[in-house]
Amino acid sequence: MHSETTAKRLELTGIPIAPGCALGKAHLLRQISLEALEVNLFPVQDVAAEIARLERAVQQTRTQLEELRAQVHADDSRDLVGILGAQLTLLEDAELLDKIRDTIRDRAVNTEYLIAHEIRQIEAVFRNLKDEVMRSRFLDVQDVHHRLLRNLLEIEHVRTNPFRRLTAPVVLVADRMLPSDIALLELDKILGIIIEEGSTVSHVAIIAKSLGIPAMTEVPHATTRLRSGDDLLLNADTGQAIVHPDENDLAWYGKTHHHHLARRPAGRNGRKAAEAHPPCQTTDGVRITLDANIGSLREVDEALHAGADGIGLLRSEFFYLSRQEMPTLEAETDFYRDVLRSMHKRQVTIRLLDIGADKPLPYLQLPQEENPQLGMRGIRLLLRTPDLLKRHLRSILHASEHGTVRLLLPFITTLHDLDRMLAVIHDLCREDQIPRERFHVGIMVEIPVVALDTDPFMRRVDFVSIGTNDLIQYLFAACREASHLQEYRLTHHPAILRLLHAVANAGKAHGKSVSVCGEMASDPTMALLLIGLGIRNLSLQANALPQVRTSIQKHSLAALDKLAREAMEMDRAEEVLALLKQLQPG
Ligand code: PEP
Ligand code: MG
């Protein structure tokens, strides 16, 4: 795909999700929309050319699959070799291809429309199969046909591994992205990310922020307004992107880029860097624990540099999402062991897999759900996949001998689920002779019913961590991925503050630690409010840590307590925002 646009300077605007600037060639990724293709029927003038287009796409798909198979052969991944072999066989399905060729000849219509219809029919056949294993094969069938469609339409998607073929890093421009998409990207080839649609608390935003990749969202029609190969300057500090930047833009970038480089930490010795930060406390001497949220080993170093007291949230699903196949017990245990060792005995909160909803695993067949945000996520899913749950838990419990582990259970809704999980943990400890007192167990408070009635949960666990990202989406019934619902996710709403205050109080009454690990804690003024509400432990993005620490160290607990009381008396989020504006964050 080469640019045919004239080199006219074009400005695009959006909402910044991760700070920084990037300059490079654009690289487009688009998801296939079967729904759109199914209704996009149009006549073709040149039937022979249309059939030739189909043949080219089939040939291209065959070459890609063969290349991929050779690649994974080299990596010695037998399952994947088998899947790719089966996909090649599917591609050679003469009956299907003949049927499409005949229809193009008879009806003179576009090929993608016909393929989209074929996929739908095959989908219906698979959905009715009794055998679950056979039913799960549909994903492989779908995958090969989607690949064929992408080649036909000349669009790329992460699953095709387009980054292997890139020789220089690019600025990624995508219509939408799932966490599993971003986790599969070759990060050293990505300078920046522009997404047409996605909210600032989406998991993609969280990953981009934590990896320090400049990113911007809400850029309508980005994938149609520019082409792969266009020069692109992204300023994710201001939410601006310039296609075909001129000399002035480039001169500006030259200066800014140096400024950004200068801000990077110089050394890489985590232990020394952490020692350089005195413990965080308010001016009247109240200690506030500042932990980091991480998803990978490379972020441990950054957390230590930023002076994190520990890891308040290790999203274990990011380890799974960064792989092409299910990790072995050994590989996963090694991962946690490495994190624990790097943290030098500091506390590490490992959250059990929170997959489902917007975080599907490419290699795990999940039930199709109408509304996955209200469906099989986190613990609900793990309890239904006992083999996965046991292997996953085992890897954490085995690694726990290398450091201080807190086990965090995501998406807890009922005492029944919690009790079942505690029983599984108890049984595994007994089976593998792991002392139960070697680690603490806690839950995410992220579903309204748990926040509204925490006492019974507090009695059963050692700590709780409030997941404000989900709690807010469920309290306001406004999906966190949807940017157009931003006005309903009222983080500053007094009702939220009163609820958080109640959870903090319950923690105090039960002598249990309460932390906040949602994005709210990364905001320097919201962090002040949280402390006023009674929270003493925050877990946040490592790059937000210095600013949050400075902000806290400027205020007394007495003043923050007063601030929170005032905010809780208010009626509206806007009033709380106005109150916070009077503060000096740092
Ligand atoms: C949350 O819901 O606030 C949270 C920290 O978890 P996640 O963002 O991974 O859902
Ligand atoms: Mg959550």
Side-chain angles (χ1 to χ4, degrees):
M1 287 197 297
H2 280 288
S3 170
E4 279 167 23
T5 52
T6 55
K8 192 161 172 255
R9 185 179 183 279
L10 170 72
E11 262 186 51
L12 305 174
T13 53
I15 298 173
I17 50 179
C21 296
L23 176 68
K25 297 277 184 207
H27 191 76
L28 261 57
L29 291 181
R30 265 187 274 159
Q31 313 265 358
I32 291 279
S33 163
L34 274 192
E35 290 77 13
L37 291 175
E38 271 179 317
V39 291
N40 190 22
L41 169 72
F42 55 85
V44 292
Q45 306 295 333
D46 187 343
V47 165
E50 189 64 10
I51 291 177
R53 195 162 79 92
L54 170 66
E55 308 302 353
R56 258 196 318 275
V58 171
Q59 180 53 44
Q60 207 177 345
T61 307
R62 186 181 297 126
T63 311
Q64 284 170 1
L65 289 173
E66 278 165 356
E67 273 174 16
L68 265 180
R69 191 167 59 168
Q71 173 79 34
V72 289
H73 254 309
D75 296 348
D76 200 24
S77 170
R78 269 208 240 127
D79 283 355
L80 207 49
V81 170
I83 291 171
L84 292 168
Q87 290 193 337
L88 274 162
T89 313
L90 282 166
L91 187 68
E92 309 296 337
D93 181 348
E95 207 179 313
L96 177 75
L97 290 177
D98 280 347
K99 186 171 159 197
I100 294 174
R101 281 187 204 103
D102 289 347
T103 320
I104 298 173
R105 265 186 220 108
D106 295 347
R107 293 177 56 197
V109 293
N110 57 320
T111 316
E112 48 274 29
Y113 167 82
L114 298 174
I115 297 180
H117 269 271
E118 284 303 326
I119 298 179
R120 281 291 189 230
Q121 280 179 17
I122 298 171
E123 188 178 17
V125 173
F126 271 85
R127 200 180 298 129
N128 292 329
L129 290 177
K130 292 244 158 30
D131 183 339
E132 200 182 327
V133 179
M134 284 306 290
R135 240 186 1 249
S136 72
R137 294 271 149 81
F138 173 65
L139 281 188
D140 299 340
V141 181
Q142 189 190 47
D143 193 38
V144 68
H145 289 142
H146 275 199
R147 185 185 287 277
L148 181 61
L149 275 177
R150 283 192 294 270
N151 287 327
L152 200 65
L153 297 164
E154 294 186 36
I155 60 175
E156 290 201 290
H157 179 269
V158 256
R159 296 279 156 65
T160 59
N161 252 334
F163 295 89
R164 286 238 160 96
R165 281 175 276 132
L166 289 177
T167 47
V170 293
V171 180
L172 190 67
V173 184
D175 52 354
R176 279 173 296 133
M177 287 193 87
L178 293 172
S180 49
D181 293 334
I182 195 171
L184 286 173
L185 301 177
E186 291 181 33
L187 294 169
D188 52 343
K189 289 185 181 165
I190 297 178
L191 300 166
I193 301 175
I194 295 178
I195 312 172
E196 283 185 4
E197 208 189 305
S199 92
T200 50
V201 284
S202 66
H203 282 98
V204 169
I206 291 171
I207 300 175
K209 256 187 264 179
S210 70
L211 296 176
I213 301 176
M216 165 167 118
T217 180
E218 280 304 282
V219 191
H221 313 299
T223 58
T224 43
R225 296 185 73 187
L226 48 81
R227 297 273 179 276
S228 282
D230 283 352
D231 288 325
L232 189 56
L233 172 56
L234 167 65
N235 182 349
D237 292 329
T238 60
Q240 227 187 358
I242 297 161
V243 192
H244 305 305
D246 62 22
E247 276 175 17
N248 290 339
D249 298 320
L250 297 176
W252 171 87
Y253 175 74
K255 274 190 243 148
T256 319
H257 190 54
H258 278 111
H259 171 67
H260 274 278
L261 283 180
R263 275 202 329 220
R264 294 198 142 212
R268 283 272 138 200
N269 184 334
R271 194 199 296 250
K272 268 213 191 99
E275 280 163 7
H277 296 277
C280 176
Q281 51 183 33
T282 55
T283 54
D284 44 357
V286 177
R287 174 84 166 94
I288 307 295
T289 313
L290 294 182
D291 290 335
N293 292 351
I294 66 165
S296 65
L297 189 56
R298 56 185 273 185
E299 290 166 78
V300 170
D301 225 20
E302 251 179 82
L304 287 169
H305 268 282
D309 290 301
I311 301 298
L313 174 63
L314 192 172
R315 289 181 165 99
S316 64
E317 61 275 13
F318 289 175
F319 170 71
Y320 277 67
L321 287 166
S322 67
R323 309 171 65 88
Q324 311 257 5
E325 51 191 291
M326 195 64 94
T328 61
L329 173 69
E330 293 72 26
E332 199 180 353
T333 310
D334 288 353
F335 167 63
Y336 301 124
R337 183 204 57 207
D338 292 348
V339 172
L340 286 161
R341 284 191 179 156
S342 310
M343 285 304 290
H344 312 289
K345 299 254 183 313
R346 289 178 187 83
Q347 189 166 272
V348 176
T349 310
I350 304 177
R351 186 173 71 181
L352 289 196
L353 266 176
D354 186 15
I355 46 173
D358 64 320
K359 291 182 282 190
L361 282 184
Y363 43 82
L364 182 73
Q365 170 83 14
L366 298 178
Q368 288 283 330
E369 291 179 293
E370 284 280 310
N371 191 344
Q373 289 285 8
L374 297 177
M376 283 296 165
R377 236 189 101 172
I379 290 304
R380 295 181 186 176
L381 190 72
L382 285 175
L383 283 169
R384 280 160 185 80
T385 46
D387 291 346
L388 170 62
L389 170 61
K390 279 198 179 163
R391 196 182 51 241
H392 175 48
L393 250 179
R394 268 208 164 93
S395 68
I396 302 172
L397 301 191
H398 289 189
S400 69
E401 65 170 308
H402 300 285
T404 314
V405 169
R406 297 204 308 174
L407 196 63
L408 179 57
L409 314 180
F411 222 65
I412 287 284
T413 328
T414 60
L415 287 178
H416 180 60
D417 276 3
L418 175 58
D419 289 342
R420 285 163 74 198
M421 276 304 303
L422 293 175
V424 175
I425 295 168
H426 180 269
D427 289 350
L428 266 190
C429 280
R430 218 185 27 205
E431 274 171 39
D432 292 9
Q433 298 181 344
I434 292 165
R436 173 60 191 82
E437 46 302 338
R438 195 157 85 190
F439 56 92
H440 283 171
V441 178
I443 58 163
M444 290 288 293
V445 175
E446 56 186 347
I447 296 182
V449 71
V450 179
L452 290 164
D453 193 25
T454 32
D455 286 322
F457 294 92
M458 292 267 188
R459 281 195 279 275
R460 289 166 165 80
V461 295
D462 303 309
F463 70 98
V464 305
S465 190
I466 309 176
T468 47
N469 305 337
D470 278 316
L471 187 59
I472 288 170
Q473 86 160 332
Y474 295 122
L475 279 168
F476 290 105
C479 176
R480 63 190 276 185
E481 299 296 317
S483 42
H484 65 286
L485 296 177
Q486 182 66 40
E487 63 174 302
Y488 295 104
R489 288 188 298 266
L490 295 170
T491 317
H492 300 83
H493 200 289
I496 299 283
L497 307 184
R498 291 190 280 267
L499 186 58
L500 297 181
H501 183 57
V503 177
N505 278 349
K508 240 176 259 165
H510 289 271
K512 305 286 164 76
S513 145
V514 176
S515 54
V516 170
C517 63
E519 288 304 286
M520 198 191 245
S522 298
D523 177 320
T525 46
M526 270 318 279
L528 296 178
L529 203 45
L530 290 172
I531 294 166
L533 292 169
I535 306 287
R536 298 290 174 265
N537 183 318
L538 303 176
S539 190
L540 49 145
Q541 303 282 347
N543 50 21
L545 243 146
Q547 233 195 324
V548 168
R549 179 188 293 105
T550 312
S551 172
I552 294 170
Q553 286 172 337
K554 279 190 181 163
H555 297 85
S556 67
L557 181 65
L560 299 182
D561 192 67
K562 184 164 163 285
L563 175 85
R565 277 182 200 291
E566 243 178 276
M568 279 191 289
E569 303 266 300
M570 295 175 157
D571 288 344
R572 295 162 175 272
E574 299 91 297
E575 296 169 55
V576 177
L577 263 174
L579 179 73
L580 291 184
K581 281 224 173 85
Q582 297 163 16
L583 280 174
Q584 265 234 318

